[in-house]
Amino acid sequence: QLKMVTIGGGSSYTPELIEGYIKRQDQLPIKEIWLVDIPAGEKKLNIVGEMARRMVKKSGLDWKIITTLDRRAALKDADFVSTQFRVGLMAARVKDERIPGSYGFLGQETNGAGGIFKAFRTVPVILDIVKDMKELCPDAWLINFTNPSGMITEAIQHYGKWPRVIGLCNVPVMAMMTEPQTIGRELKDLTYKFAGIDHFHWHRVWDKTGKEVTMEIIDKMYEGKDAGLPKNIFEINFFKEQLEQMKMIPCGYHRYYYRQEEMLNHSLEEFDNGATRAQEVIKIEHELFKLYQDPNLNYKPKQLAERGGAHYSDAACESIASIYADKRTHMVVSTLNNGAIPDLPSDHTVEVSAQIGAAGAIPLTFGPFQPAERGWIQLMKNMELVIDKAAVTGDYGLALQAFIMNPLIPSGQKAKDLLDEMLVANKEFLPQF
Ligand code: NAD
Ligand code: G6P
Ligand code: MN
Ligand code: MN
């Protein structure tokens, strides 16, 4: 019988996770679900915990939901640990978006200067969790959802020396949920191959006769709305001629790089209006928590679909069920490259199609990229390595290098001033600097 632990349990996403477990009740013999948070999140944790209990009860299950601020008690003898926490809470995200915005740069949760600082704040905490896990649940699997998901998974593997980790994102899930119907097919009849890194990957698709349908999907992307695009990303089309040359489907986040000018202008407009994504999310969360407090609500409310991370539980719960029951399903996860992308080192984390089973993630070979994509991915992955090393060592020069490498931060004096200002603004959460 399984002991599941979720760190950052007070998240408004938790009901989705519970729903995912309930859907898989026949595959997962769950005994307890421990929801862990910190004192600042205690109120949210209690509301979400009650909500989870109602959902479980409605399904006639006897799972015990335990809410706690004692992480070590939760980790003791855990089987699966999932992480979905936000160091510095939403106030830190507001800074990640607004401080770069005040310099005329892009402010975003996982890209640009904001994404770099989210890594700086999160890496020390995740490494501390790994340390506890080595002592308290050395056989457990760690399912990481905490952003920046790829860099956090890299830190867990490379610096935490913890191999039993799967890094997740809902972006590939949403692509596979929405694309098949645009070409009148079903997912079960298609073969998907993804490769890249988290929030910077591409994919190709084949039908069951072996014919590649990537270009068919791309054509459909230009008729109407991209239904697979997460709610937090402003929609602007890629240049069609670029995709025709590339012959791959870029993920939604590539917009920040392929249409940098337009995405920046949009983000600066939001900045001027005092309406960046964090501020919008605060409103959505307010509404969600009002709903969660309704003692009659015992299912995931539809308003949760307004969050960018909607459907992540399909990835989280399916990967857990696949490992536990050795299902060997196809999923897109952050895991060790192991040669799947020959353009990147083997011993670092990539986000790729993989077979998920009892042995963890076994990545599928994607093969080499064309020079344009090879150039991008080598820059972006090596930037991630610089960021993680800076996050572990607190080396100022490395942090500056990361800023200068990042395509969304124009290099120069303003970049250095921004770095300095963000170091001061985040001081409380940066013990390493
Ligand atoms: P949130 O602000 O609701 O934070 C979740 C919980 O974490 C809060 O209750 C908070 O109190 C708690 N927390 C903060 N620091 C903690 C710590 N040190 N230990 C334990 N708990 C702590 O955030 P959210 O919007 O629910 O997102 C949670 C995380 O998931 C974020 O890192 C976010 O970026 C990430 N996320 C990832 C994806 C993805 O695709 N991988 C999608 C959406 C969100
Ligand atoms: C996305 C992603 C996440 C991202 C989140 C933001 O689509 O995959 O990694 O950070 O949603 O959602 P939010 O609702 O918090 O803006
Ligand atoms: Mn993501
Ligand atoms: Mn730069």
Side-chain angles (χ1 to χ4, degrees):
Q1 285 212 315
L2 299 172
K3 176 176 180 179
M4 320 299 259
V5 178
T6 294
I7 299 178
S11 164
S12 60
Y13 285 110
T14 298
E16 205 189 280
L17 189 71
I18 302 297
E19 183 193 68
Y21 287 145
I22 291 172
K23 267 199 233 163
R24 291 167 183 80
Q25 55 184 280
D26 299 333
Q27 301 168 40
L28 293 169
I30 293 175
K31 183 164 177 252
E32 296 170 351
I33 301 173
W34 290 63
L35 303 176
V36 185
D37 216 291
I38 53 171
E42 187 171 14
K43 217 177 127 209
K44 280 168 63 188
L45 177 69
N46 289 333
I47 294 168
V48 168
E50 276 306 311
M51 169 82 195
R53 285 182 194 107
R54 292 193 299 272
M55 291 175 75
V56 165
K57 189 168 165 221
K58 181 199 175 199
S59 304
L61 294 159
D62 61 356
W63 302 348
K64 223 171 133 190
I65 307 281
I66 298 128
T67 53
T68 182
L69 304 184
D70 186 346
R71 189 174 85 197
R72 288 177 58 87
L75 289 178
K76 180 94 184 79
D77 301 323
D79 294 291
F80 290 94
V81 178
S82 68
T83 47
Q84 50 177 47
F85 57 89
R86 185 185 294 285
V87 180
L89 311 176
M90 285 302 278
R93 179 167 175 185
V94 170
K95 290 180 191 172
D96 284 348
E97 294 177 351
R98 297 204 63 87
I99 300 176
S102 74
Y103 284 73
F105 302 161
L106 182 90
Q108 212 277 328
E109 174 169 35
T110 61
N111 291 275
I116 295 176
F117 267 80
K118 189 159 163 62
F120 288 171
R121 292 189 301 270
T122 310
V123 165
V125 178
I126 199 77
L127 292 180
D128 207 39
I129 291 172
V130 168
K131 207 168 119 212
D132 281 351
M133 288 181 70
K134 284 180 174 166
E135 180 190 334
L136 298 164
C137 53
D139 298 322
W141 274 93
L142 176 51
I143 310 296
N144 179 63
F145 181 67
T146 303
N147 269 321
S149 181
M151 287 187 256
I152 300 310
T153 305
E154 172 80 50
I156 293 165
Q157 296 185 306
H158 191 79
Y159 292 100
K161 307 256 177 275
W162 181 274
R164 276 183 311 286
V165 58
I166 303 260
L168 293 176
C169 175
N170 64 324
V171 167
V173 174
M174 290 185 73
M176 290 185 283
M177 270 176 67
T178 55
E179 286 171 3
Q181 64 211 42
T182 67
I183 54 165
R185 315 281 170 102
E186 282 182 66
L187 180 59
K188 67 169 177 44
D189 296 325
L190 297 173
T191 296
Y192 268 83
K193 262 173 78 174
F194 284 77
I197 58 175
D198 184 49
H199 291 187
F200 204 90
H201 50 71
W202 301 267
H203 66 274
R204 297 174 62 184
V205 192
W206 290 262
D207 74 8
K208 63 177 174 185
T209 71
K211 187 182 126 213
E212 182 159 6
V213 294
T214 309
M215 288 315 297
E216 257 183 70
I217 295 172
I218 288 175
D219 285 341
K220 293 294 172 188
M221 279 170 70
Y222 290 86
E223 300 169 12
K225 237 180 121 46
D226 179 354
L229 192 66
K231 285 280 203 272
N232 60 307
I233 304 176
F234 174 66
E235 181 162 12
I236 176 156
N237 275 341
F238 295 110
F239 291 121
K240 198 165 185 194
E241 297 89 335
Q242 186 191 10
L243 301 200
E244 279 166 355
Q245 193 286 323
M246 193 181 291
K247 296 186 174 57
M248 296 195 289
I249 302 171
C251 81
Y253 283 93
H254 274 101
R255 281 172 176 73
Y256 290 112
Y257 303 86
Y258 293 163
R259 301 297 304 259
Q260 187 176 152
E261 183 187 346
E262 292 83 358
M263 293 301 277
L264 176 62
N265 288 342
H266 173 77
S267 128
L268 292 178
E269 247 169 63
E270 287 188 334
F271 174 83
D272 287 338
N273 298 332
T276 56
R277 180 67 187 168
Q279 292 159 299
E280 207 174 313
V281 166
I282 290 169
K283 283 189 210 143
I284 302 170
E285 275 194 343
H286 185 76
E287 193 184 343
L288 283 171
F289 275 93
K290 242 176 31 204
L291 291 167
Y292 294 166
Q293 286 177 75
D294 175 353
N296 296 312
L297 187 78
N298 53 16
Y299 57 90
K300 177 186 88 178
K302 65 172 189 324
Q303 285 86 340
L304 194 52
E306 294 308 310
R307 292 300 303 276
H311 304 297
Y312 88 97
S313 75
D314 278 308
C317 301
E318 191 54 32
S319 62
I320 291 172
S322 295
I323 291 170
Y324 179 72
D326 194 21
K327 286 166 72 175
R328 300 179 214 176
T329 39
H330 167 255
M331 291 188 64
V332 182
V333 300
S334 280
T335 188
L336 276 194
N337 181 16
N338 269 328
I341 305 174
D343 300 319
L344 292 177
S346 268
D347 52 347
H348 287 291
T349 308
V350 292
E351 193 164 287
V352 287
S353 285
Q355 171 190 286
I356 312 296
I362 300 178
L364 301 177
T365 307
F366 191 83
F369 286 120
Q370 296 186 73
E373 288 69 51
R374 183 170 70 216
W376 275 110
I377 199 67
Q378 290 180 341
L379 172 72
M380 296 298 285
K381 182 64 220 181
N382 283 296
M383 179 190 71
E384 283 196 354
L385 298 183
V386 172
I387 294 169
D388 268 358
K389 191 163 184 188
V392 169
T393 59
D395 185 313
Y396 179 84
L398 274 173
L400 184 58
Q401 287 265 51
F403 265 50
I404 290 172
M405 284 175 87
N406 192 301
L408 307 182
I409 309 172
S411 61
Q413 188 60 45
K414 274 207 287 182
K416 189 167 187 292
D417 293 344
L418 172 62
L419 171 61
D420 293 340
E421 182 172 342
M422 289 184 83
L423 281 169
V424 173
N426 284 279
K427 205 163 179 274
E428 189 187 341
F429 303 104
L430 301 176
Q432 74 276 45
F433 277 98

